[in-house]
Amino acid sequence: MTEEETRRKQQARFERLAQVVVEPLHRYLLRRAGADMAEDVLSETMLVLWRRIDDVPGPGTGSDPDPEPNADPDPSPDEVLPWCYGVARGCLANARRADGRRLRLVERLIRTQQRPPTGVSDHSDLHAALGALGVLDREVVQLWAWEELAPRQIAEVTGMTSNAVSIRLHRAKKKLAAQLGRKDAEWPGHKRDEGRSSQ
């Protein structure tokens, strides 16, 4: 395969990847940063994905055992999103380290964005309970509840083991339940025992 063919294949793969991951990554970043920073970090994340397109899991990678020359496979979100969330998480951490004053502003913006709009149920107790968790516990809960990732996928994003994620998630949910005054917390859209299993 010539260099130009390789480049075309990489560009086609990147374009298919972007169609799958841009919106989830944008939502992920908006939940953790102000709109301006989210846009900047999303651009940086996509640049990293372009530079590392051969490292992104799924069909079309250099490690793909038997790629079909004319195949045009769409990446599976379950396969690529955890890896991409990990890249976005790293880009966001870099952006925050680069500007401490901006971080304080972003945290104020996050608190503002978490207030429910007029006419919507007040979730201030839940946001207060989330705010009382440690940074990593809060991140694990948000990845589980907002991004709907399984513990093994959260492990890929955070660099922890699946078992450590499951334990941390279980304990964080118990803390939240206690702070919210519930003896047995039910989480919409999730099974009661989810988070205790590493799968």
Side-chain angles (χ1 to χ4, degrees), residues 41-75:
V41 175
L42 179 61
S43 297
E44 181 64 26
T45 301
M46 296 310 294
L47 182 60
V48 172
L49 295 184
W50 166 248
R51 289 177 179 159
R52 297 184 59 193
I53 191 65
D54 289 334
D55 296 332
V56 180
T61 61
S63 60
D64 198 4
D66 190 18
E68 297 176 38
N70 298 320
D72 196 23
D74 288 330

Side-chain angles (χ1 to χ4, degrees), residues 177-178 180-185:
L180 294 171
R182 299 178 186 165
K183 293 183 180 176
D184 186 18

